[in-house]
């Protein structure tokens, strides 16, 4: 990076190019780069507000009633839609919910110019699915420990795979990895080496 500033009257030319000054400048540049990679809490909340507005518009078009909560959780924006008769927005095994989440992320990207890791939940589907997947993961771990053979789970969405990985990684003696290509990407749980 080239410094085009003019040294002040009380700054000598040696101070301008001193290694310490260059090191500080590099440290500041690295810190700025890290800040750009991790959005600030206010940016994440803004993303959740944009997403909530988008989802509210969809609900109006579809003539569905639901309360919308926007928040930031785990370093990512979250929008939760709560209400009765929302199952059609979830779809079979969450397929419609995944599609709505992608559309909502695109709406956020369109307004902010940066990709979002937004998580959309409808009717508590993701919270319930997390519990189910924790049981599936624990069952797979038990089978691996009992028989010593790898266990291949059914294909899952990225959200579902992350839930399983989190449970397996918290347990000792086993590891999990994903294999395959979307939409048939699945988790394999095996004994740790």
């Amino acid at each position: 990076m080239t410094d085009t500033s003019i040294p002040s009257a009380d700054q000598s030319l040696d101070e301008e190019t001193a290694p310490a000054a260059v090191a500080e400048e590099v440290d500041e540049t690295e810190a700025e780069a890290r800040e750009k990679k991790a959005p600030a809490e206010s940016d994440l909340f803004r993303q959740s507000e944009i997403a909530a507005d988008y989802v509210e518009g969809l609900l109006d078009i579809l003539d569905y009633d639901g309360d919308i909560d926007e928040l930031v959780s785990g370093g990512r924006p979250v929008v939760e839609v709560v209400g009765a008769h929302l199952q059609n927005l979830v779809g079979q095994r969450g397929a419609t919910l995944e599609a709505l989440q992608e559309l909502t992320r695109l709406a956020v990207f369109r307004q902010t110019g940066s990709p979002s890791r937004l998580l959309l939940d409808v009717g508590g589907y993701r919270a319930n699915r997390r519990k189910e997947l924790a049981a599936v993961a624990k069952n797979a771990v038990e089978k691996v420990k009992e028989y010593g053979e790898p266990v291949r789970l059914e294909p899952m969405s990225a959200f579902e795979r992350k839930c399983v990985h989190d449970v397996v990684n918290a347990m000792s003696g086993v590891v999990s990895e994903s294999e395959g290509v979307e939409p048939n990407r699945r988790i394999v749980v095996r004994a740790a080496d």
Side-chain angles (χ1 to χ4, degrees):
M1 190 164 120
T2 307
D3 184 12
T4 57
S5 63
I6 301 171
S8 63
D10 44 333
Q11 179 184 26
S12 73
L13 292 176
D14 291 339
E15 289 176 350
E16 179 184 5
T17 58
V22 172
E24 287 175 12
E25 187 175 310
V26 169
D27 289 342
E28 288 176 12
T29 304
E30 289 174 5
E32 290 170 5
R34 271 185 255 120
E35 287 176 14
K36 288 180 183 176
K37 289 180 186 175
E41 184 92 7
S42 61
D43 292 338
L44 294 174
F45 190 74
R46 180 170 178 265
Q47 289 180 17
S48 68
E49 288 177 320
I50 293 167
D53 289 344
Y54 178 78
V55 171
E56 185 175 7
L58 283 176
L59 291 177
D60 288 344
I61 291 169
L62 297 171
D63 197 28
Y64 282 132
D65 290 327
D67 293 327
I68 300 173
D69 295 325
E70 65 245 12
L71 56 134
V72 174
S73 177
R76 67 192 301 179
V78 178
V79 171
E80 295 175 345
V81 182
V82 182
H85 312 294
L86 297 174
Q87 187 57 35
N88 287 340
L89 296 177
V90 174
Q92 186 176 7
R93 295 199 57 215
T96 305
L97 176 58
E98 290 293 329
L100 288 174
Q101 178 175 277
E102 287 307 310
L103 288 172
T104 307
R105 285 177 174 177
L106 286 172
V108 171
F109 177 76
R110 187 173 176 195
Q111 285 196 27
T112 64
S114 60
S116 176
R117 295 180 54 232
L118 173 88
L119 185 66
L120 176 64
D121 193 7
V122 174
Y125 173 80
R126 292 197 190 273
N128 292 333
R129 187 68 176 139
R130 232 182 235 110
K131 290 176 188 172
E132 293 170 4
L133 291 167
V136 168
K138 289 175 184 174
N139 186 32
V141 167
E142 287 173 11
K143 285 182 180 178
V144 168
K145 287 184 175 181
E146 184 175 340
Y147 300 109
E149 296 292 320
V151 174
R152 284 180 172 69
L153 302 176
E154 65 185 35
M156 298 179 185
S157 68
F159 163 76
E160 293 172 325
R161 288 192 310 272
K162 176 160 181 2
C163 292
V164 172
H165 283 304
D166 289 347
V167 171
V168 173
N169 289 335
M171 303 177 113
S172 63
V174 291
V175 293
S176 62
E177 58 190 20
S178 295
E179 69 177 19
V181 180
E182 295 290 353
N184 296 314
R185 195 153 170 82
R186 66 180 67 230
I187 290 181
V188 178
V189 181
R190 60 179 173 78
D193 296 330

